[in-house]
Amino acid sequence: MAARPETARKLLLYWMDAVIVLLVVLMVTITLLHATAGLISPLNATITIVCLLGFFGLFPFLLRDAYDARPDRPTPKLLIAALFAAVAVALLPHQSPQDTPSWLEVGVLWLSAAALYVPLAVTVCLGVGVVGLVSGYTAAISDRAWPDVLIPETISAIVLTSAMLLWRWLWWTIRDAHDSKEAKARLAVSEERLRFARDLHDLLGHSLAVITLKSELAAKLATKDAGRAADEMGQVRRLAGDSLAEVQQAVHGYRTLDLDEELAGARAALEAAGARCLIDARADGLSPSARTLLAWAVREGATNVLKHSTATRCAITIDGGVLEMLNDGVPEQPPVPGNGLRGLSERLATAGGSFSAEPTPSGEFLLRAAVPT
């Protein structure tokens, strides 16, 4: 998904907030007009306005609670909002029935919010009850036919409730996709650390155990058989030297990456995260050290895209010892370069190369690494 979850959340919720403000202004204005025309008493008008303000004041909090969590039961806020909505609908003016749908929308709005807190089957039953009661009450206090009220309110309830559920599902999907992408990046790092730790354990575990035993034996023999103690310590020295060489070899192998493997791994990771990856690599003539440096750049660049961008496309080009990784997922606030990119920059500078990572004028993000050929 290209959108950050917080951005999607803000867009959806702020859009609903704007709609709520417009509805508050509209309904309060209609209430005042009815009071001015004598269609509703000043007391009822005051109570209605208070209930409308209370209902619409709670509505944004109901949305935020439903978006941030996965509620499976009504909350006190939802029940209080239902009380405000019921009072507002009950104070419908008996005259001027053509204006009554303005009040009925309060009940439909509450139903759409309740759908975020209860299972779908309960939502359907609740919708039948709310629409049926409100439509029947409206038909009873006015001269409108019951079907004339029921049909449009049923359509309105279905459309608004479906839209509310769809918006929440959309945000949850974006959030889960973003969390999955970050989890994949963390898992890749954890697996690499585990592999290195396992290699070190396999290399050093037996050697250190033998060194410990021989050192203890040499200490016991020091006062009894100095010659044998010296032999044991000589073996300890040889074991320590062999272990050091093995560790150096393991670290060297860990630090030596294969460029082709890193390119394939970057493509798999990026495409698994939903970003199309295009690779154009011409690196056959490069030296082994140059290929290793570029492999490190590919690994760090792919990790940076996975962790810090919202890319849907990433192009990796290698030509003449120059790597360019261009993606379209520039965040609103570019993150401060982490240890990975700083370490890569230092590694390339030490080898006589160059490194840069910054947004482009066209709105994309370019990582560029040049190595001596």
Side-chain angles (χ1 to χ4, degrees):
M1 304 298 290
R4 291 273 184 180
E6 279 305 309
T7 302
R9 177 180 181 274
K10 289 177 181 178
L11 288 175
L12 294 173
L13 292 178
Y14 289 172
W15 184 85
M16 284 302 302
D17 290 345
V19 172
I20 290 170
V21 170
L22 291 177
L23 288 175
V24 169
V25 173
L26 174 64
M27 293 190 177
V28 170
T29 301
I30 293 176
T31 303
L32 293 175
L33 292 175
H34 283 170
T36 304
L39 300 177
I40 184 173
S41 67
L43 178 60
N44 286 354
T46 301
I47 297 175
T48 299
I49 292 174
V50 170
C51 290
L52 290 174
L53 293 176
F55 173 77
F56 286 109
L58 286 173
F59 204 83
F61 296 101
L62 293 174
L63 291 181
R64 282 157 176 78
D65 290 345
Y67 272 56
D68 292 337
R70 296 179 184 266
D72 57 357
R73 64 187 64 183
T75 63
K77 293 177 186 177
L78 185 65
L79 299 178
I80 294 172
L83 178 61
F84 283 141
V87 174
V89 172
L91 294 179
L92 281 166
H94 290 233
Q95 299 87 356
S96 188
Q98 65 272 16
D99 290 329
T100 55
S102 296
W103 270 268
L104 293 183
E105 296 306 322
V106 176
V108 174
L109 277 173
W110 179 85
L111 176 63
S112 67
L116 303 176
Y117 288 81
V118 296
L120 182 60
V122 178
T123 299
V124 174
C125 296
L126 193 61
V128 171
V130 170
V131 174
L133 288 174
V134 173
S135 300
Y137 173 72
T138 302
I141 67 172
S142 66
D143 57 1
R144 299 177 64 185
W146 186 60
D148 293 341
V149 182
L150 177 64
I151 294 175
E153 290 308 311
T154 301
I155 295 174
S156 179
I158 293 174
V159 171
L160 188 55
T161 301
S162 301
M164 193 72 72
L165 293 173
L166 177 63
W167 290 330
R168 187 182 63 172
W169 172 84
L170 175 63
W171 182 66
W172 279 357
T173 301
I174 294 172
R175 182 182 63 181
D176 292 345
H178 181 267
D179 292 344
S180 175
K181 184 170 68 172
E182 289 192 337
K184 289 178 181 177
R186 290 194 299 269
L187 179 60
V189 174
S190 298
E191 287 180 345
E192 190 64 20
R193 289 175 176 171
L194 180 61
R195 185 191 72 81
F196 187 57
R198 184 173 58 248
D199 289 347
L200 283 180
H201 178 271
D202 294 341
L203 288 171
L204 295 179
H206 176 72
S207 298
L208 290 178
V210 175
I211 288 173
T212 300
L213 291 175
K214 287 187 172 295
S215 298
E216 292 176 351
L217 177 60
K220 293 178 180 178
L221 293 173
T223 57
K224 299 178 181 180
D225 190 343
R228 187 178 173 188
D231 291 340
E232 294 292 338
M233 290 307 299
Q235 294 181 32
V236 167
R237 186 183 64 181
R238 286 193 296 273
L239 282 171
D242 293 342
S243 299
L244 178 60
E246 290 176 344
V247 170
Q248 290 174 338
Q249 183 179 2
V251 171
H252 176 73
Y254 178 76
R255 294 170 64 89
T256 302
L257 304 181
D258 182 78
L259 179 59
D260 294 332
E261 290 181 0
E262 291 303 319
L263 287 172
R267 184 201 295 273
L270 290 170
E271 291 185 349
R276 188 163 58 98
C277 184
L278 306 175
I279 297 178
D280 181 14
R282 294 184 292 275
D284 293 338
L286 297 178
S287 64
S289 60
R291 291 175 63 88
T292 298
L293 287 172
L294 291 179
W296 275 109
V298 170
R299 171 179 287 193
E300 293 298 337
T303 301
N304 191 61
V305 173
L306 288 172
K307 293 179 64 176
H308 301 300
S309 81
T310 57
T312 59
R313 182 181 63 83
C314 182
I316 303 176
T317 304
I318 299 177
D319 187 14
V322 177
L323 163 72
E324 290 188 350
M325 294 185 66
L326 184 69
N327 72 82
D328 61 352
V330 180
E332 296 179 1
Q333 295 182 347
V336 178
N339 293 329
L341 292 184
R342 282 197 296 268
L344 177 61
S345 178
E346 294 170 358
R347 187 192 302 270
L348 290 170
T350 301
S354 62
F355 173 81
S356 64
E358 57 189 2
T360 65
S362 60
E364 297 175 307
F365 192 88
L366 175 64
L367 182 149
R368 188 178 188 276
V371 300
T373 58

